[in-house]
Amino acid sequence: MKRDNLLVAVPFGGRSAEHDVSVITALAAIIPPLRLLGHTVMPIYITKEGKWLTDPRLTEVKTYQSGVLEEIIEKAEPLRLELDGTFTIIQKKTRWKKAKRRIDLVFSALHGTYGEDGSLMGLLRMAGVPFVGCDMAASAVAMDKVLSKDVVRAQGLLTPEWISFSKVEWTQNPERILERLRKLGMPVFVKPAHLGSSIGITKVTKAAELGNAVDVALVYDNKCLVEKAVENLTEVTVPVIGNEDLELGLVEKPLNKGEFFDFDAKYLNGGKKGEGSEQGGGKKGGGKGAQGYSELPAMMPDGSTRGSRRGLYQECEEVAAKVYRAVGCQGIARIDLLVDGKAGKVYFNEVNPMPGSLYAHNFAAGGMSKVDLVGRLVELALERAEAEDSLERAFSTSYLRQF
Amino acid sequence: MEPEERKPSWWRKLSSHFRPGYLETLIYMAQITDYDTVEYWNYLARTKDFTEVMKRGSVDWTRKAKLLYIWMIFGVIMWVCLSLMVWLVAGWWTIALVVVAPLATPWLLQWWLWLVMVAGNLIVQKPVEWRALHRVRKDLMRNKAVKIAVLGSYGKTTTKSVLEEILGEGVKATPGNINQPLGFAKFISELDGTEKVLIFEFGEAKKGDIKRMARLVRPDYAIVTGVAEAHLERFGSLKNIISTFNEIRDFVPKNRLFLNMDNEVLAKQKGIGYSKLGIEGLHVRKVKLGAFETSFEVNKQRVTTGLIGEHNIGVVTLGMYLAEQLLGAKMSKKLIARVAGIKAFEHRLEPKIVHEALLIDDTYNGNLEGVRAGVNVVAALKKRGSFVNPAGEEVKLNRVICVTPGLVEQGTKMGSNNRAVGRLIGEVADAVVLMQNSVTGNIEQGLNDVKWSGELVISDNPLEFYENLTAMLARGDIMLLQNDWTDNYE
């Protein structure tokens, strides 16, 4: 398999609440390093309406600040794919001329629905093109918070007590569900089961407020997750890369204390401020690391940190690696953990198969530059594709002749 | 990235003359060679594929450039009219002209632009110059300030700036890169006559330049900052360069001539020496080299400066010496505070923290001595295994990355000097990034000479590389950016 000077398609944007974050991930963390590595980048911008298009100007930051984007969206022809056992993009060059460009690798920068949830990976698997990051199954598990908690608990790992139910169940019999919820004990977090960001998440301290919170969550999703809050909470996150052998980033602790932050604080500030939440949900947007938004590496409540011989820091690393393997992640993922400082327990919160800006700031603080990180991810993707290719998939049968 | 042989096909060479941007390219080439009628031709002769020319920059649309552009458009129109006229008058058999005329246009336009440059030089430039120089001579005769000439193959601007900062008020120096008689005219017209010290940077482009400027300025003191093989294309040999600098001796006696003894060539010459060991009466001891500062003891007092590298110690002590001699300043707290206030100059071993890595920007340096100075700074940090960032935190060293396109204007020593660059950076680098050009092979040879084995990246798109280079950095990295490769060299 070719390894140098690849034609790499980078899809970003997308039909997701995290459209803009995805643009930042692509332009800041993926495309420049790919180019420095000598690969050719084909940006694929997916509009909020779901139209796919490409244009060289899409890799420039100023396109998104000047109104050029609107012009490109209006004028560009939608992308056409040719699926002949490869992933080939047909580009209209001029009125008469078309160019076929066979994609060697796809490096998705899509966050949230239709990108991070396994949908895109399904398409790419069908097309037979190698791609970076978690595969379809792991992505789907990670995107469903209930499912991922199930999977992780089955491995004997800790995760806060929870109850989940569908919108139908709630409308049919809210009283019975409220009854169960009250037994869980306050405070709790009420979350939509799927969305990656903090949209629709409420922290509930009084049982009387439960109904409202559930209604809010069910506006965004058909499935609702109610989770018991962890006490003496320290929230940390650990980015991990690898297929079989894992390389862990630093354990990072958001510094923003107080109520868990909402969507605005996290994203509208360019994902750089207010990095932090309280069991609130995913953290994307790539914090600024040591510049005051998060503690990197984290100093744990028991005083342990990177380089300590034994402590909560090391436990977090272990749990993160176990979760990564349990969910079946490959390439890259970020594991969010909740630490009860007094009890000395580490709970699993959620998995993020596509951390904002690849969490490059975290790896950089650990000594791995963006170029090294992206280069490693490309290698991991090619390794996986090679391993898959070596599997036997074609069987000759006589079924059809007997039919 | 594999090094790619870039040999444009004959068709590409030819067709690159017939692009819409061709006129603009010619203007750009004239501008980048400072409208020098000879350099302009040399650049044209070197250029094979005209589409490559403007890859790194674009025309600065000054009034001159705009006028030239109009002149070129006028030329095209003239040429079309002329061809048509001949055709109409002479009849149908000259139809061949209709074919030949457009084909010859690009080459005719090269001459057309040259023509106006020559004319402009003779009719406008020369008389203006002559008048300006006359004024400079007259004004300087009247001025009572102490005049110091700063000359050398490298380090002039830094020396000038350091002196300016240490000597404080009452000192004026020629601004920026102004180092020619004409540039002095504006500088002198802005003086108010109360200055105690005037510092002139003398640029040297050819033999006789120093003599010419010295005759004009009549300096009381002179400082030779270093002699190296710079501008070899114009000087031919190191001997010629040395004799050009020695022209100053006809104007300044050796007890008023300061020489940088850190430089091998100058160490053998007569004058007052200054170096990393100090200068007469100011002896340097206990040197500490940091990532953001250099500190040392002079006569039992600790002096700290924001200039990094051992090679800057000499010039700092020279500044202190001159402050004593010319302004009667004593080794006081005030003087030490002034030295401490000197920060690194832009693009001259200028340290920055990027992504918790140390980036040392030395892109203004263009000679081997400068490369050696930069490598020495990094080597000192590497030996210690860490650097201290401005927040006072000690950061453990990760990797050393050296980035350079190589040296330009090295004349016949182009190959050997760039090979020496390879040997130097090979001593400290864990990773090396080169820009694909004609000396890339020489630098690689140099790396092989010292049996260097690290990660080698060769970029064929320098602009993109420099825009994105911070993506290569991680905590604890040191990246040394050296030498700028201007557009008129391939």
Side-chain angles (χ1 to χ4, degrees), chain A residues 151-172:
Chain A
V151 169
V152 169
R153 173 173 281 182
Q155 294 290 320
L157 297 166
L158 295 174
T159 180
E161 286 301 315
W162 82 93
I163 290 168
S164 72
F165 48 89
S166 70
K167 194 182 251 177
V168 180
E169 287 174 287
W170 174 253
T171 37
Q172 281 172 353

Side-chain angles (χ1 to χ4, degrees), chain A residues 11-16 18-20 22-23 44-47 109-111:
Chain A
F12 61 98
R15 277 191 294 159
S16 150
E18 292 155 84
H19 178 99
D20 294 357
S22 165
V23 175
I44 296 179
Y45 176 69
I46 304 174
T47 66
L110 292 168
H111 294 301

Side-chain angles (χ1 to χ4, degrees), chain B residues 345-395:
Chain B
F345 303 109
E346 239 190 337
H347 309 304
R348 293 166 198 277
L349 283 178
E350 180 191 9
K352 293 172 193 166
I353 291 289
V354 182
H355 298 330
E356 300 188 60
L358 173 65
L359 182 88
I360 302 178
D361 177 357
D362 197 23
T363 48
Y364 269 10
N365 125 44
N367 60 70
L368 202 51
E369 290 288 324
V371 174
R372 184 171 291 131
V375 166
N376 283 344
V377 168
V378 174
L381 295 173
K382 192 166 180 173
K383 203 171 148 199
R384 207 169 61 193
S386 67
F387 61 84
V388 178
N389 68 19
E393 187 195 352
E394 183 148 356
V395 181

Side-chain angles (χ1 to χ4, degrees), chain A residues 88-104:
Chain A
T88 301
I89 285 172
I90 304 178
Q91 242 182 324
K92 208 166 177 179
K93 282 278 182 198
T94 63
R95 188 182 286 247
W96 300 280
K97 214 170 140 191
K98 282 196 200 98
K100 279 191 185 182
R101 304 188 68 193
R102 192 181 143 179
I103 304 296
D104 296 312

Side-chain angles (χ1 to χ4, degrees), chain A residues 146 162-174 176-182 184 189-194 210-211 213-215 217-218 221-227:
Chain A
V146 178
W162 82 93
I163 290 168
S164 72
F165 48 89
S166 70
K167 194 182 251 177
V168 180
E169 287 174 287
W170 174 253
T171 37
Q172 281 172 353
N173 203 341
R176 223 186 75 205
I177 291 172
L178 277 176
E179 185 53 40
R180 280 173 62 208
L181 292 183
R182 275 192 283 271
L184 200 59
F189 282 94
V190 181
K191 309 172 175 179
H194 289 105
L210 272 172
V214 172
D215 284 336
L218 286 175
D221 205 332
N222 289 321
K223 199 164 156 192
C224 178
L225 166 69
V226 179
E227 200 177 48

Side-chain angles (χ1 to χ4, degrees), chain A residues 1-54:
Chain A
M1 200 174 281
K2 200 169 114 175
R3 284 179 184 271
D4 294 321
N5 194 12
L6 305 173
L7 178 59
V8 184
V10 180
F12 61 98
R15 277 191 294 159
S16 150
E18 292 155 84
H19 178 99
D20 294 357
V21 192
S22 165
V23 175
I24 295 171
T25 297
L27 267 59
I30 299 180
I31 294 175
L34 278 174
R35 289 193 167 149
L36 289 181
L37 286 162
H39 302 304
T40 309
V41 173
M42 179 188 267
I44 296 179
Y45 176 69
I46 304 174
T47 66
K48 287 173 183 161
E49 289 72 39
K51 179 177 168 184
W52 290 36
L53 45 95
T54 184

